[in-house]
Amino acid sequence: MEKMSVIWDVTRWCPWDCQICCMGAVSDPMCKLQELSLEEKEEVLEQLAELKAEREVRLDMSGGEIMMDKAHLKLIQRAAELLGSEKIGISTSGINIDTATAEILAKCTHDVELTLDCLPGKAYELRKDGYHKNAAIAIDILKKAGVHVGVQTVLCKKNNTQEEMEKLLRWLCLHDVDEWSILRFFPVGRGADYEQEQLSEEECGRAVEMIRSIHKVFPGKKPALDFHYLMPGHEKSTSQCRCVKKSIGILPDGTVTACFWALDRNMAVREDKYRLGNIVDKPLQDILQNDKSKYWLCREHCCELFCA
């Protein structure tokens, strides 16, 4: 059975306003007026459950910050009921993660992923003050509840050093993090203002070698190491486009996108060819069979955003 990865940005609301936010999330709660109602969000899950009959669906629920609205906990529980908890991942900054929340996530998710770009407590100008400290506190709470915790590091010019990565890996080991994912910085969303921070292909390749060597010699129990598929120099590396064939995105207003990276600073789709339809207007099954989806399904090509 074919696999489909669904990245669902449930909300644009987030307290951090990070400079490099790839989604253009905002701290203004008025942005919630443009997102689906809770009932419509539950309908999205129903449609994903129907899709499960044809494809193996992995759902990653994100934002914005999904935990800004505690009603989303019921949505996560419903997702686990319909798709199976082993198919649910949550991406969060760690905001509003307490013991009770962590215990629910332990039952309803396969994993919860947070972002640490450097050692918690260190000033990092691409994130707001307190961002990494907040994530660090949440990681400990989640681990105590038995959650499988992943940490994602967005690699760019500012943190791509052996010293930074060694310090971060040591912290991850001390806090029993289960998986460490390395993602290259893409200048999308609000991050488009920081194109100078993007690593070249050669720099990415050297970073993969450097991080692998650090991880290999690090003693004792350590998190599993994973590189994003657009990081060159490892076995998963590929520039082959995954749009619709293997993944789609869903935005807070129900827009279905061929690529969840193809967003501007206002969390709007960058080009019309990436906008497949809206789940409010048409069932997801129909959207994935329309002409815009067929454009991606019928093409064999490299990523049109990052591999020109």
Side-chain angles (χ1 to χ4, degrees):
M1 182 179 288
E2 294 182 1
K3 295 183 180 180
M4 169 68 77
S5 174
V6 179
I7 311 298
W8 184 11
D9 297 317
V10 178
T11 182
R12 191 182 175 198
W13 191 23
C14 179
W16 299 108
D17 290 319
C18 289
Q19 292 90 320
I20 58 170
C21 179
C22 61
M23 300 293 132
V26 294
S27 58
D28 183 357
M30 293 300 289
C31 70
K32 285 176 61 63
L33 296 175
Q34 280 75 52
E35 71 183 53
L36 300 177
S37 67
L38 186 59
E39 292 74 19
E40 289 172 324
K41 291 172 185 178
E42 290 173 350
E43 175 59 27
V44 171
L45 294 176
E46 297 286 345
Q47 294 193 35
L48 289 173
E50 292 179 11
L51 183 63
K52 189 177 69 169
E54 299 177 5
R55 304 190 188 189
E56 182 181 328
V57 177
R58 154 79 187 200
L59 175 61
D60 288 284
M61 303 172 74
S62 184
E65 173 50 67
I66 189 171
M67 290 302 164
M68 287 294 283
D69 186 346
K70 282 298 184 82
H72 288 151
L73 279 175
K74 292 184 178 180
L75 195 69
I76 294 167
Q77 289 173 306
R78 183 60 176 154
E81 290 174 6
L82 291 172
L83 301 174
S85 60
E86 73 282 359
K87 300 297 182 183
I88 307 299
I90 303 296
S91 294
T92 175
S93 67
I95 202 78
N96 292 333
I97 298 291
D98 54 23
T99 299
T101 298
E103 289 174 351
I104 291 173
L105 294 176
K107 296 175 182 177
C108 298
T109 68
H110 175 271
D111 57 271
V112 175
E113 186 172 67
L114 304 95
T115 297
L116 290 178
D117 299 316
C118 62
L119 198 65
K122 178 180 178 180
Y124 190 69
E125 64 184 84
L126 298 180
R127 302 281 185 190
K128 287 298 181 77
D129 290 345
Y131 179 90
H132 291 120
K133 282 186 177 180
N134 184 83
I137 292 168
I139 286 169
D140 287 340
I141 294 171
L142 290 164
K143 284 300 303 180
K144 286 178 182 177
V147 175
H148 182 98
V149 173
V151 162
Q152 174 180 270
T153 297
V154 181
L155 210 60
C156 63
K157 302 278 190 183
K158 286 216 170 18
N159 62 355
N160 182 30
T161 70
Q162 182 163 335
E163 181 182 8
E164 289 285 355
M165 294 301 105
E166 284 180 343
K167 288 180 179 178
L168 181 53
L169 178 56
R170 185 174 294 109
W171 189 95
L172 299 179
C173 292
L174 287 173
H175 292 260
D176 199 26
V177 169
D178 298 289
E179 186 166 350
W180 187 26
S181 299
I182 309 298
L183 171 68
R184 66 193 294 183
F185 166 67
F186 295 122
V188 298
R190 202 157 44 243
D193 293 335
Y194 293 85
E195 191 169 359
Q196 72 277 7
E197 287 294 331
Q198 187 174 20
L199 300 179
S200 68
E201 291 291 301
E202 293 75 17
E203 288 172 320
C204 284
R206 290 195 295 271
V208 168
E209 292 181 9
M210 177 260 291
I211 293 171
R212 270 183 159 167
S213 65
I214 292 170
H215 187 268
K216 183 177 181 180
V217 301
F218 209 88
K221 184 181 177 183
K222 49 196 170 185
L225 181 61
D226 181 63
F227 293 97
H228 187 262
Y229 70 93
L230 286 176
M231 285 286 289
H234 62 97
E235 58 278 357
K236 279 174 52 182
S237 177
T238 178
S239 60
Q240 192 66 33
C241 179
R242 296 164 56 93
C243 290
V244 186
K245 298 183 186 74
K246 294 185 177 181
S247 67
I248 58 170
I250 303 176
L251 302 184
D253 67 354
T255 296
V256 181
T257 67
C259 177
F260 50 86
W261 294 108
L263 301 177
D264 65 19
R265 68 188 68 250
N266 297 311
M267 205 183 240
V269 182
R270 281 170 53 165
E271 295 180 59
D272 187 64
K273 65 183 177 181
Y274 293 103
R275 186 183 295 104
L276 304 180
N278 192 293
I279 209 165
V280 174
D281 303 322
K282 294 278 187 179
L284 182 59
Q285 294 277 35
D286 291 350
I287 291 173
L288 294 179
Q289 295 174 16
N290 67 19
D291 288 342
K292 285 190 172 182
S293 292
K294 288 176 182 176
Y295 166 84
W296 299 103
L297 288 169
C298 295
R299 285 172 63 86
E300 293 293 335
H301 59 285
C302 292
C303 173
E304 295 187 15
L305 282 175
F306 307 116
C307 302

